[in-house]
Amino acid sequence: MEKHIQLPITRETARTIKSGESCLLSGVIYTARDAAHKRLCELLKDGKPLPFDVTNATIYYVGPTPAKPGQVIGSAGPTTSYRMDAYSPMMIAAGETGMIGKGKRSAEVVAAMKEHGAVYFAAIGGAGALLSSCIKKAEIVCYEDLGAEAVRRLEVENLPVVCVIDSEGNNLYETGRNAYLASR
Amino acid sequence: MREIQANVLTETIAKLAIEANCVLPCDVKRRIEDARKNEPWETAQGILDKIIENYGIAEANTVPICQDTGVCCVFLKIGQDVHIEGDIRAAVDEGVRRGYTEGYLRKSVVADPLRRVNTGDNTPAMLYTEIVPGDRLEITVAPKGFGSENMSRLAMLKPSDGIEGVKAFILRTVEEAGPNPCPPIIVGVGVGGTFDKAAYLAKKALMRSTDERNADPFYADLEAELLEKINALGVGPQGFGGKTTALAVNIEWMPTHIAGLPVAVNINCHVTRHKTVVL
């Protein structure tokens, strides 16, 4: 059974989402990958304001393909999250409550999630054409020079994700695999 | 001497780049659909269903299967009786430029690994050339995503490590990669040669159809054994647990030095894309 989540996710809501839960996200999310995270964190380090409000924000690690005529956005599946590990603790401390990507996270990211209340979701890697259909509106917020890596504001409807790591540090990549192995 | 104009190369590569990114090869589809039938774990079944739905949408609408439309690997097998009229390197890059622009594919190449400015047109291609007998020109275009490329590894093992050392290295590489390369994966392995040749063989192994086993029964058996062992790891589709961690293991090998046992593992995701034409 899927859990419907209306964005934004508050710190309190983040603590109610549990590892292993399939969720459908609706509302506003922002995109950022490696290059955008680097710039955002440089601003945070310098104590400067970010180009968008990161309070209770959910960030999707995605660099979409260009939209074809008539499309809102091109294919838009997740990129591998560990490359954002160097930046996520700072983003979480600044207010980020949700991250969408795929793959493992570092101990430092999980510690920040537990401390502040944040949740890590995975979308299906390599399912960019399917995920694109849940994106109803897309506009560039900043860093247009980065092309696919620019920060975009997306309005999503029922974006299918799975909570992999929750705010208590439970991790589906460990528990799911162990449960399967134990079932054999 | 047969003449082929360089602009034919450009047009062919542009077309192949779009097709390869939007239509998954039949053998890979068949592997995924077979895996779905044999997958006992419910979460994994659901993921495989979504993967199948996704490549159906991509093919029907001519949109990229995955947003990582990759660095564009181009393999040319040039018959020694063929003369290509024009600049081959420029013709290949023009093909990539056109395919990635006209096909609305993502431009994912930076001009310099440290200064990191996007080239804006996905050039240059990663170009591999081989001179072969005959008067044909075989062109393969293989967009390679970096989620899986980043999880690839190379080891210079000792001859005493032997076949068990090779198996252990491959299994460790796949297990450590876990969910990161978007399983179910296809595992390309290169054994032998030199440091660089092993890596090249691993990449070349990914170009082989998953229907085709190694021509040498010894290596064909090794491919089958490794596939079984990888699928006993329990990583499963997307790393959420399950039987289907890999769809195939393809091994390529070549002679090597008396002192060495190079082994390279090049991982590809379930969106393993390549398309070939022969001119």
Side-chain angles (χ1 to χ4, degrees):
Chain A
M1 195 55 211
E2 283 140 335
K3 184 172 184 170
H4 286 263
I5 295 175
Q6 184 62 46
L7 301 161
I9 297 169
T10 61
R11 298 278 192 212
E12 292 68 36
T13 311
R15 294 199 187 274
T16 66
I17 303 168
K18 300 298 173 199
S19 174
E21 281 184 321
S22 290
C23 304
L24 296 170
L25 308 183
S26 299
V28 171
I29 59 178
Y30 292 91
T31 73
R33 292 173 43 108
D34 312 53
H37 269 88
K38 187 166 187 273
R39 291 189 188 177
L40 293 170
C41 285
E42 276 162 9
L43 291 174
L44 286 174
K45 269 182 214 157
D46 294 343
K48 291 181 182 157
L50 296 185
F52 64 95
D53 187 4
V54 76
T55 310
N56 296 337
T58 294
I59 309 269
Y60 186 15
Y61 306 150
V62 58
T65 60
K68 285 170 76 168
Q71 272 188 317
V72 171
I73 195 167
S75 293
T79 194
T80 324
S81 306
Y82 74 95
R83 299 194 316 275
M84 268 52 78
D85 284 356
Y87 310 112
S88 293
M90 193 178 268
M91 294 291 286
I92 293 168
E96 175 185 276
T97 51
M99 298 164 281
I100 309 169
K102 52 129 175 150
K104 299 179 216 179
R105 305 310 305 262
S106 68
E108 291 76 14
V109 175
V110 178
M113 290 167 63
K114 286 160 84 168
E115 186 189 341
H116 297 281
V119 63
Y120 171 53
F121 301 105
I124 298 179
L130 180 67
L131 292 163
S132 161
S133 64
C134 305
I135 300 168
K136 303 302 172 192
K137 203 176 162 192
E139 59 188 25
I140 292 182
V141 175
C142 58
Y143 310 149
E144 197 166 359
D145 61 299
L146 295 177
E149 292 200 77
V151 172
R152 289 171 171 81
R153 179 186 183 277
L154 306 182
E155 290 182 22
V156 299
E157 244 175 61
N158 297 325
L159 184 77
V161 294
V162 176
C163 173
V164 175
I165 306 174
D166 63 25
S167 60
E168 289 169 359
N170 300 303
N171 187 340
L172 179 65
Y173 291 138
E174 290 156 14
T175 56
R177 184 180 170 197
N178 290 339
Y180 166 72
L181 289 173
S183 77
R184 288 190 307 163
Chain B
M1 188 63 84
R2 186 175 162 224
E3 292 268 337
I4 294 178
Q5 298 299 315
N7 68 331
V8 176
L9 197 55
T10 297
E11 283 158 23
T12 308
I13 289 169
K15 192 165 162 274
L16 290 179
I18 297 171
E19 284 177 17
N21 269 300
C22 302
V23 183
L24 200 61
C26 290
D27 66 293
V28 179
K29 285 186 202 164
R30 213 159 35 236
R31 293 272 154 198
I32 295 171
E33 284 155 28
D34 286 349
R36 169 63 183 84
K37 285 186 199 122
N38 298 318
E39 176 60 65
W41 196 241
E42 202 183 324
T43 318
Q45 291 171 352
I47 299 286
L48 291 170
D49 284 339
K50 289 269 197 283
I51 286 173
I52 292 167
E53 189 186 347
N54 180 66
Y55 64 65
I57 294 172
E59 185 167 341
N61 301 336
T62 319
V63 294
I65 306 161
C66 176
Q67 76 293 334
D68 187 355
T69 52
V71 61
C72 195
C73 298
V74 176
F75 291 78
L76 299 181
K77 277 190 191 169
I78 306 169
Q80 60 190 29
D81 298 323
V82 173
H83 175 247
I84 298 169
E85 183 66 41
D87 184 331
I88 298 178
R89 175 83 242 185
V92 168
D93 284 340
E94 183 55 28
V96 170
R97 185 175 294 120
R98 246 187 245 175
Y100 275 71
T101 307
E102 290 168 12
Y104 297 91
L105 306 177
R106 197 178 80 184
K107 288 76 180 174
S108 313
V109 175
V110 290
D112 172 318
L114 295 179
R115 286 169 290 187
R116 307 198 74 82
V117 177
N118 198 303
T119 60
D121 57 10
N122 222 48
T123 65
M126 297 295 143
L127 179 59
Y128 308 81
T129 55
E130 200 180 325
I131 305 293
V132 296
D135 64 352
R136 299 293 196 87
L137 172 62
E138 184 187 294
I139 307 168
T140 299
V141 172
K144 185 67 176 77
F146 252 58
S148 54
E149 194 75 358
N150 279 335
M151 295 298 116
S152 302
R153 299 287 181 264
L154 190 144
M156 300 303 284
L157 299 181
K158 300 186 293 294
S160 63
D161 292 325
I163 190 168
E164 292 309 318
V166 169
K167 286 185 212 168
F169 177 68
I170 295 165
L171 288 172
R172 192 165 66 243
T173 301
V174 171
E175 187 168 24
E176 282 175 8
N180 290 10
C182 291
I185 57 175
I186 293 177
V187 185
V189 178
V191 196
T194 49
F195 182 80
D196 55 312
K197 286 286 184 188
Y200 169 67
L201 289 174
K203 174 74 82 247
K204 207 174 150 188
L206 293 173
M207 300 304 124
R208 199 211 301 160
S209 162
T210 56
D211 289 341
E212 204 182 310
R213 290 298 93 225
N214 195 294
D216 182 331
F218 171 80
Y219 282 99
D221 287 349
L222 186 56
E223 288 174 343
E225 184 190 340
L226 281 164
L227 181 60
E228 198 181 320
K229 289 198 161 126
I230 288 169
N231 284 335
L233 291 172
V235 173
Q238 299 295 307
F240 299 151
K243 186 180 176 186
T244 316
T245 301
L247 301 167
V249 178
N250 288 359
I251 304 175
E252 294 290 325
W253 60 276
M254 70 187 294
T256 190
H257 191 277
I258 47 172
L261 177 47
V263 52
V265 180
N266 195 190
I267 297 182
N268 219 346
C269 57
H270 59 87
V271 190
T272 286
R273 298 156 285 189
H274 48 81
K275 196 151 174 70
T276 301
V277 296
V278 180
L279 299 177

